[in-house]
């Protein structure tokens, strides 16, 4: 079964929940989607913040933008928030580097959705948002 290598950028409430959910339900998700979700990197503003789950230090990226250049990353989940700054840099770089992107960032999509969609289409990757 193929692995889907995921980088989660932003470990607030939603990012932390997603991390825990993917770890806990890996087999169920794999059966439904015929691919294994595999978290390869995470990054957040505060590395030392107490979290409700154990985080392997090998997963941590000190510079979140590194995720856009890593060859072993298939999908970047952007959960930073805001239409400017780190979130914008991350999503634009990810799509330009042919990485699929999932975001919950409504402000970013509202402001730059057309541009991001064109980049995603040009590079044949998915830009998913809710």
């Amino acid at each position: 079964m193929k692995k889907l290598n995921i980088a989660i950028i932003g470990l607030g409430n939603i990012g932390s929940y997603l991390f825990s959910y993917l770890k806990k339900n890996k087999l169920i998700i794999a059966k439904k989607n015929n691919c294994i979700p595999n978290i390869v990197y995470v990054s957040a503003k505060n590395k030392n913040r107490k979290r409700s789950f154990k985080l392997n230090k090998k997963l941590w990226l000190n510079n979140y933008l590194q995720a856009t250049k890593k060859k072993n990353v298939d999908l970047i989940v952007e959960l930073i928030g805001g239409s400017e700054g780190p979130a914008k840099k991350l999503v634009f770089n990810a799509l330009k580097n042919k990485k699929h992107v999932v975001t919950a960032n409504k402000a970013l999509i509202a402001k730059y959705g057309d541009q991001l969609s064109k980049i995603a289409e040009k590079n044949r990757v998915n830009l998913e948002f809710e």
Side-chain angles (χ1 to χ4, degrees):
M1 201 176 297
K2 184 184 183 303
K3 280 188 177 181
L4 178 65
N5 291 330
I6 302 168
I8 300 174
I9 311 300
L11 288 175
N13 289 334
I14 295 174
S16 294
Y17 177 81
L18 176 65
F19 181 89
S20 299
Y21 182 85
L22 290 175
K23 289 286 187 184
K24 184 178 171 185
N25 298 296
K26 186 179 274 196
L27 295 176
I28 295 167
I29 295 167
K31 284 181 185 176
K32 286 183 178 182
N33 298 297
N34 204 28
C35 74
I36 301 166
N38 183 38
I39 300 169
V40 290
Y41 299 109
V42 296
S43 189
K45 195 184 318 183
N46 186 350
K47 182 178 184 176
N48 299 318
R49 179 179 161 197
K50 272 201 166 184
R51 296 188 165 77
S52 61
F53 53 88
K54 203 167 191 175
L55 187 58
N56 184 336
K57 291 178 183 177
K58 292 178 183 176
L59 296 178
W60 191 266
L61 286 176
N62 288 321
N63 180 350
Y64 68 98
L65 288 174
Q66 289 175 328
T68 65
K69 296 176 181 146
K70 299 278 187 181
K71 291 193 185 299
N72 65 331
V73 173
D74 302 313
L75 169 69
I76 294 176
V77 181
E78 181 274 312
L79 297 168
I80 300 169
S83 63
E84 300 296 331
K88 178 184 173 189
K89 280 185 197 173
L90 177 69
V91 175
F92 272 91
N93 283 332
L95 294 172
K96 287 176 183 174
N97 286 308
K98 299 182 180 181
K99 306 291 183 196
H100 300 287
V101 173
V102 174
T103 182
N105 192 333
K106 294 180 278 300
L108 182 72
I109 296 301
K111 193 165 184 178
Y112 297 107
D114 289 344
Q115 290 174 332
L116 293 169
S117 295
K118 287 175 185 169
I119 295 168
E121 189 174 335
K122 178 183 170 194
N123 290 309
R124 295 185 164 176
V125 292
N126 291 350
L127 170 64
E128 303 293 336
F129 55 90
E130 176 66 37

